[in-house]
Amino acid sequence: MRVIGTAGHVDHGKSTLVHALTGIDPDRLKEEKARGMTIDLGFAWLDLPRPDGEVESVGVVDVPGHIDFIKNMLAGVGGIDAALLVVAADEGVMPQTREHLAILDLLAIPAAVVALTKIDLVDDPEWLELVMLDAAELLASTHLAGAPIVPVSAVTGAGLEKLKRTLATVLTDLPPRRNRGRPRLPIDRVFTLSGFGTVVTGTLLDGEFNVGDAVEILPARRTARIRSLQTHRRPVQTAQPGSRVAINLTGVGADELRRGDVVVHPNTLTPTTLIDVRFRLLADAPRPLRHNQTVDFFVGAAEIPGVVRLLGAETLKPGEEGWLQLRLARPAVVAAGDRFILRQPSPSQTLGGGVVLSPSPQRRWRRFDPNVLTRLQTLARGRPDEILLETLERLRLTTPKALLTHAELDAATGAAALDELRRQRALVEIAAGEESLLLSLSAWRRLADGFAARVAEHHRQFPLRRGLPRSEARSRMQALLPGVVLSVRHFNALIDALAQQGLLYADDACVRLPDFAPTPTPAQQRSIERVLAAFAASPYAPPNLQDTLRMLDENAELLEYLTDQGVLVRLGGDVLLRAEDFNAMVEEITAYLRAQGAITLAEVRDRFQTSRKYAQAVLEEMDARRLTRREGDVRVLR
């Protein structure tokens, strides 16, 4: 599920365009209606055609363009997949167009489409072409260079369908949202609804939320539970990463929350007031960045005052990049790899932005410590826990020792990164003898879901069998782990872990889903009753195998069901007995042996009025179960 965010100068028609595309007016505040411009974030959604012919619902975040409300704009663009950069054809590129584009570039928004609005107000084709060239030139210096430009009119409807198709194409070309299994939702709105209570909205990152989940709201560490979830005003049981989500929370009041707080699973993130970052100062910044300069830090939907600590340099000149340690006035909730923006408080202006390298450094660093600078250079190439997690996802299933070897991290760094992943609950560790097995949390969920689906398929195909034989189960699990050599020991460890979590039941012979029980059809049950009646009529000389199968309509699966369920016992020589009759014979033979010391096959035959074949099958089974042993022509107790 994707999210688009608008960007552009004030009064260039962002909200009008959103209304024309979606039928939803994103301006929800009375003041916005009165002033005719967006002040705070607005939200809508539209259906876009996919290449496969299906329709995908896409969220839209409408942001204010006025310079006075850039801070509100920053609260809405952090989690978007693509930007809809709006430029009015009658005015062209303006100051907030440039600032919004700079922000999109600093936040590394993956894609963009330029909507050249108000073309109904332009009669001169040459002017329209000039504005398009200016927009393309503006994009050329950013990572969004080459973004498509679509002329439109929200008034006449010209170009709207082409704009929708272009947005659909751009979004289709993006890679899927990453799911690390650590959901977090930066809150951009908090409100109450009568009969529901507290509701928060935001764009979900890094994982999924489910109805009923226990959650924590950071940085204040307030606990709550998800009562219900909505995406685009439709109830859902599970909210997917990258989607716009409304969460109805119980256990916390709306007055206890604010924009910028983050909803997470408990104990997955830790608030911090000290952050190591890589930062780029905009080329058109008014002056160099100084050590101890006061700034406003924007990440997710949060705005936090802070102070810059320059590392490895006295100042940072416009257009330069460098290492910073940010000291914040109150805790932030960030993860390595998050993008951020810094603005100067007065006069309000965007300075630049970058990427979080370490969300929880050990201490304030000495500014020119070469070891610190080397560490930051390493983190810029990839945070160790991120490197380790990416390696783990590539290997699918491995051991700690093998993981550290493949990640090419030194022992101390690798061990610390592995401990960090354990703390984040980003991986699953399974005991397997002297070593443990590791999977990423997302890989474990894929394995669990995929294997459960294969067991369920076996149940559908063979509804009378107790479950999937372990030997076959191993090959089916192997198919879910391409490139991994799944040993018996590792397979058993994975099965035990799935069983411990209640995802399946396993014994020495087979595995099955917890709620599965073999159940004959009514017709099959009538056949079973016919067989059991015949066996009860002659308990020690019942029908042979062929006659039994005929009574079961030649259904070998039904016979296997009766033996699996312990109703019938199958002995050597294809002899069948009811379990209760076999047990009665064993008890009587055992009692006789205790009294007499020995028994012959003929004595067993005569005692139960059966045939030699049946008597021999029973005695051989007792030998196999180590109840008796043969001495010449007699059996004695062991």
Side-chain angles (χ1 to χ4, degrees):
M1 193 166 290
R2 301 295 190 174
V3 178
I4 297 167
T6 64
H9 196 76
V10 63
D11 202 30
H12 273 206
K14 294 185 294 298
S15 299
T16 303
L17 178 61
V18 170
H19 196 181
L21 288 170
T22 68
I24 300 168
D25 184 357
D27 287 341
R28 56 191 170 80
L29 303 177
K30 291 182 179 179
E31 189 177 355
E32 290 175 328
K33 304 289 189 185
R35 296 174 63 172
M37 70 177 185
T38 303
I39 297 171
D40 205 349
L41 301 176
F43 306 100
W45 60 91
L46 75 157
D47 292 333
L48 293 179
R50 292 196 321 213
D52 59 7
E54 297 294 323
V55 173
E56 180 179 9
S57 185
V58 175
V60 180
V61 180
D62 185 37
V63 305
H66 196 281
I67 188 172
D68 292 342
F69 306 115
I70 288 287
K71 294 179 179 181
N72 289 346
M73 177 265 187
L74 284 165
V77 296
I80 65 174
D81 296 287
L84 181 59
L85 181 62
V86 176
V87 179
D90 60 335
E91 289 190 346
V93 172
M94 299 293 282
Q96 262 57 67
T97 313
R98 298 180 184 278
E99 185 168 11
H100 280 206
L101 180 60
I103 289 169
L104 297 176
D105 189 39
L106 292 168
L107 292 177
I109 301 304
V113 174
V114 178
L116 199 64
T117 57
K118 303 187 180 182
I119 59 171
D120 53 293
L121 300 181
V122 176
D123 297 325
D124 185 352
E126 292 185 1
W127 171 259
L128 193 62
E129 184 178 354
L130 182 62
V131 174
M132 293 178 69
L133 289 173
D134 283 347
E137 184 178 352
L138 182 65
L139 291 166
S141 61
T142 74
H143 78 283
L144 297 172
I149 301 173
V150 182
V152 297
S153 170
V155 174
T156 67
L160 292 183
E161 289 305 315
K162 182 180 180 181
L163 179 59
K164 288 181 180 181
R165 291 194 300 272
T166 304
L167 287 169
T169 300
V170 166
L171 292 176
T172 301
D173 291 341
L174 293 177
R177 279 277 189 160
R178 185 173 181 180
N179 184 347
R180 290 188 52 182
R182 291 191 304 164
R184 52 191 175 114
L185 182 133
I187 297 173
D188 51 37
R189 284 182 65 201
V190 182
F191 54 94
T192 59
L193 282 177
S194 178
F196 290 89
T198 304
V199 178
V200 299
T201 69
T203 301
L204 181 58
L205 311 174
D206 287 357
E208 301 171 350
F209 277 137
N210 295 285
V211 173
D213 280 357
V215 294
E216 187 176 31
I217 298 93
L218 302 176
R221 296 193 179 281
R222 304 186 190 282
T223 59
R225 188 169 296 277
I226 297 178
R227 181 181 180 184
S228 63
L229 294 164
Q230 283 194 4
T231 294
H232 305 164
R233 293 186 183 172
R234 291 193 296 268
V236 294
Q237 284 295 117
T238 300
Q240 301 294 331
S243 59
R244 286 292 308 174
V245 182
I247 306 179
N248 180 200
L249 295 171
T250 61
V252 65
D255 58 346
E256 299 175 88
L257 309 177
R258 64 177 177 180
R259 174 180 285 178
D261 288 350
V262 181
V263 184
V264 301
H265 277 164
N267 305 314
T268 54
L269 287 173
T270 302
T272 179
T273 56
L274 208 58
I275 304 173
D276 293 341
V277 303
R278 178 74 173 171
F279 175 76
R280 171 162 62 93
L281 186 64
L282 288 175
D284 59 357
R287 60 186 64 86
L289 187 72
R290 306 182 311 277
H291 180 63
N292 282 336
Q293 183 171 335
T294 299
V295 294
D296 286 333
F297 173 70
F298 293 84
V299 69
E303 172 192 353
I304 305 173
V307 173
V308 166
R309 302 190 70 248
L310 264 171
L311 303 178
E314 292 294 345
T315 60
L316 202 63
K317 297 177 182 178
E320 289 185 341
E321 294 189 24
W323 317 111
L324 307 181
Q325 189 171 61
L326 301 174
R327 183 160 48 87
L328 303 178
R330 62 176 184 272
V333 183
V334 295
D338 284 357
R339 310 293 301 197
F340 69 91
I341 298 292
L342 294 185
R343 305 190 83 233
Q344 68 180 25
S346 181
S348 182
Q349 185 172 2
T350 301
L351 297 173
V355 62
V356 174
L357 301 180
S358 175
S360 53
Q362 301 169 7
R363 59 184 181 277
R364 292 177 61 181
W365 307 120
R366 288 189 292 115
R367 292 182 58 203
F368 295 92
D369 186 337
N371 293 328
V372 171
L373 298 178
T374 299
R375 176 179 178 273
L376 292 173
Q377 289 170 350
T378 300
L379 292 177
R381 292 194 298 270
R383 180 183 164 100
D385 63 320
E386 292 280 348
I387 293 172
L388 213 57
L389 188 59
E390 288 175 4
T391 304
L392 180 57
E393 289 177 342
R394 186 177 74 251
L395 296 176
R396 293 187 174 87
L397 176 72
T398 189
T399 63
K401 182 179 179 181
L403 175 61
L404 296 181
T405 300
H406 281 86
E408 299 181 349
L409 296 173
D410 64 83
T413 301
L418 185 55
D419 286 341
E420 174 65 14
L421 290 178
R422 289 179 177 123
R423 189 191 66 78
Q424 296 172 359
R425 300 181 183 179
L427 54 75
V428 173
E429 191 162 9
I430 296 167
E434 295 180 357
E435 60 185 353
S436 59
L437 296 176
L438 300 176
L439 303 89
S440 69
L441 182 59
S442 57
W444 170 252
R445 288 175 174 168
R446 287 195 300 271
L447 179 67
D449 291 346
F451 188 68
R454 281 157 174 77
V455 176
E457 179 185 356
H458 180 84
H459 292 333
R460 287 191 295 272
Q461 189 175 359
F462 303 104
L464 292 174
R465 295 186 184 179
R466 283 197 304 126
L468 179 65
R470 288 183 79 104
S471 58
E472 189 177 345
R474 181 182 166 204
S475 65
R476 296 203 182 191
M477 184 177 285
Q478 175 70 79
L480 295 168
L481 296 166
V484 175
V485 178
L486 188 62
S487 68
V488 173
R489 181 161 55 86
H490 289 173
F491 165 72
N492 289 337
L494 291 169
I495 289 293
D496 289 345
L498 290 167
Q500 287 168 10
Q501 292 193 11
L503 300 175
L504 57 81
Y505 170 83
D507 57 27
D508 292 340
C510 66
V511 298
R512 62 173 172 79
L513 297 182
D515 57 353
F516 173 75
T519 306
T521 65
Q524 289 170 340
Q525 188 61 43
R526 287 192 292 272
S527 297
I528 290 172
E529 290 168 359
R530 186 164 60 248
V531 165
L532 295 182
F535 272 63
S538 182
Y540 304 125
N544 60 28
L545 178 63
Q546 291 74 22
D547 289 340
T548 302
L549 280 172
R550 274 195 294 274
M551 284 187 283
L552 293 174
D553 300 320
E554 303 297 335
N555 190 336
E557 288 286 332
L558 199 51
L559 178 59
E560 185 176 343
Y561 163 77
L562 292 172
T563 57
D564 277 348
Q565 297 298 308
V567 177
L568 297 182
V569 177
R570 188 167 182 172
L571 308 178
D574 286 336
V575 168
L576 294 170
L577 289 171
R578 288 191 307 174
E580 59 193 276
D581 299 329
F582 171 75
N583 293 334
M585 293 178 75
V586 169
E587 289 176 10
E588 190 167 335
I589 292 169
T590 302
Y592 182 88
L593 288 171
R594 289 197 183 104
Q596 303 298 325
I599 194 169
T600 65
L601 189 151
E603 286 173 328
V604 171
R605 179 197 62 200
D606 296 341
R607 191 172 190 86
F608 292 98
Q609 295 297 299
T610 185
S611 69
R612 178 182 176 86
K613 177 180 179 180
Y614 278 78
Q616 183 175 336
V618 171
L619 288 174
E620 288 178 350
E621 182 67 18
M622 291 181 70
D623 292 343
R625 297 188 184 192
R626 303 185 66 80
L627 300 173
T628 57
R629 70 172 182 272
R630 182 174 178 178
E631 293 183 355
D633 293 332
V634 301
R635 257 68 175 195
V636 297
L637 289 175
R638 282 187 177 271

